[in-house]
Amino acid sequence: MNVVDGSKHAVDLSHGLENVPVLIERSSSVPIFPEFQYSPENIEGPGCTVDPSEVTLPGCSCLYHSCCTESCSCLQTHGQAYDSTGTLLDRTQTDSGYCSPVFECNALCSCSDTCSNRVVQRGLRLRLEIYSTRNRGWGLRTLEAIPHGTFVCEYAGEVISFEEARRRQLTQRSEENNYIIAVREHAGTGSIIETFVDPAVVGNVGRFLNHSCLPNLFMLPVRVHSVVPRLALFAGRNIDAHEELTFDYSGGYSNQPPVELLSTQSDAAIKASRTDGLQRKPCHCGANKCAQFLPLDLSILSGNNPK
């Protein structure tokens, strides 16, 4: 699909699947563009036991256009995540040391589609452009200013099993990128829920986000209709127009430690087993406190008590 962006014609990478076109920089000097199937949301991949598109969460019976904590069962159970404008509230860590996941109202809720507890499910709302960076291949930048706490985009792709994720990592060539994100959530009973998302073959605009040791985005698991979390990226600060969008593949933000800290020998053993046989790649983010290498284990987030 060709769209008009200012005075130039551009291609909509999403082919009309997003609310706004996803533009690609047009230049004769850009690298070869990767081939993949565009999907704005997660799809079921090899080893996935739950269909991400299936509605499995209960809904509220609110009669108002927008839910309020006094009467909404969703907000009472999971807490309020957004203000009245849909801006993410401060997600402070709990006593356990982990951040709380976000639950939005869903298809079974009786509130309006304009409810302030429906943000990620509304999809892409910002004008973004994929462009060729100086030394990191393709990247993603915003064409408009983004206020702090704004939902930017999802990191969507195939939801796969750990075994499939491991197989894909070990069969990658050294020059290929590893797109797989692992989300580990502590269920509060000593058990761990894991979700693996790979947008390499089927994915969305989020697959073009580069790593930075000093990023301007951070990722949170957001549950909408399904128990399978959607990996949502929010602005960690005010972001200027034409600024590159980045997040920390290890889950940290502003050079702080990752949300999930390896504090036990068993966790350390898990991490070691997953990175065995994988080669480290240099980081070119340019941050003052760059770690010099990209994270090997892309284990991004932890939440507590997902229901």
Side-chain angles (χ1 to χ4, degrees):
M1 174 187 291
N2 290 331
V3 297
V4 177
D5 179 39
S7 60
K8 66 178 181 179
H9 289 273
V11 174
D12 176 15
L13 179 66
S14 77
H15 304 291
L17 295 177
E18 300 281 14
N19 298 312
V20 294
V22 178
L23 304 180
I24 307 173
E25 178 190 55
R26 305 304 298 266
S27 172
S28 60
S29 60
V30 299
I32 298 176
F33 198 79
E35 292 185 4
F36 71 101
Q37 177 185 336
Y38 197 98
S39 175
E41 298 179 359
N42 290 330
I43 69 167
E44 185 176 357
C48 179
T49 58
V50 179
D51 183 356
S53 64
E54 182 181 359
V55 180
T56 56
L57 296 177
C60 68
S61 56
C62 296
L63 300 178
Y64 302 101
H65 288 293
S66 188
C67 294
C68 57
T69 53
E70 291 78 15
S71 57
C72 178
S73 58
C74 294
L75 296 179
Q76 291 174 354
T77 302
H78 306 295
Q80 184 174 353
Y82 310 109
D83 66 15
S84 59
T85 67
T87 300
L88 186 73
L89 298 173
D90 182 26
R91 305 298 292 174
T92 55
Q93 292 186 353
T94 62
D95 294 338
S96 64
Y98 302 107
C99 69
S100 299
V102 172
F103 288 79
E104 295 191 358
C105 288
N106 59 62
L108 297 182
C109 293
S110 58
C111 57
S112 166
D113 289 340
T114 61
C115 174
S116 60
N117 196 39
R118 299 177 185 265
V119 174
V120 173
Q121 63 191 271
R122 294 177 188 167
L124 188 66
R125 299 283 173 173
L126 301 171
R127 293 183 298 120
L128 307 179
E129 182 182 52
I130 300 161
Y131 75 108
S132 177
T133 66
R134 182 174 62 85
N135 59 354
R136 292 188 291 166
W138 293 98
L140 183 66
R141 61 188 171 197
T142 176
L143 298 179
E144 59 186 284
I146 304 176
H148 183 199
T150 301
F151 167 63
V152 176
C153 68
E154 280 190 56
Y155 192 89
E158 292 181 281
V159 180
I160 59 178
S161 65
F162 165 69
E163 291 75 18
E164 177 65 14
R166 183 65 175 168
R167 184 194 68 79
R168 293 185 182 189
Q169 285 184 322
L170 292 177
T171 55
Q172 284 177 340
R173 297 189 297 270
S174 59
E175 67 274 14
E176 292 180 324
N177 294 321
N178 174 28
Y179 293 99
I180 301 172
I181 293 293
V183 179
R184 304 182 70 212
E185 297 179 279
H186 292 247
T189 59
S191 61
I192 295 176
I193 299 174
E194 294 186 311
T195 306
F196 300 89
V197 176
D198 184 6
V201 178
V202 181
N204 74 333
V205 66
R207 77 192 298 280
F208 294 96
L209 290 165
N210 280 317
H211 164 83
S212 176
C213 297
L214 193 62
N216 50 25
L217 304 180
F218 63 93
M219 185 181 280
L220 281 178
V222 176
R223 284 179 170 81
V224 181
H225 313 297
S226 170
V227 294
V228 178
R230 295 162 74 158
L231 310 187
L233 291 137
F234 294 85
R237 58 170 173 79
N238 293 331
I239 302 173
D240 295 329
H242 304 290
E243 187 175 343
E244 182 179 8
L245 300 172
T246 59
F247 75 104
D248 186 341
Y249 290 175
S250 68
Y253 180 73
S254 295
N255 277 347
Q256 296 300 312
V259 174
E260 178 181 68
L261 301 177
L262 296 178
S263 58
T264 66
Q265 290 185 351
S266 59
D267 279 341
I270 291 173
K271 188 178 182 73
S273 68
R274 292 182 175 182
T275 57
D276 181 40
L278 301 179
Q279 296 183 355
R280 304 197 72 181
K281 296 181 179 181
C283 177
H284 300 291
C285 73
N288 292 334
K289 297 182 180 180
C290 177
Q292 305 303 319
F293 291 95
L294 294 177
L296 269 178
D297 182 16
L298 304 191
S299 184
I300 298 298
L301 303 161
S302 290
N304 65 314
N305 298 324
K307 295 179 175 64

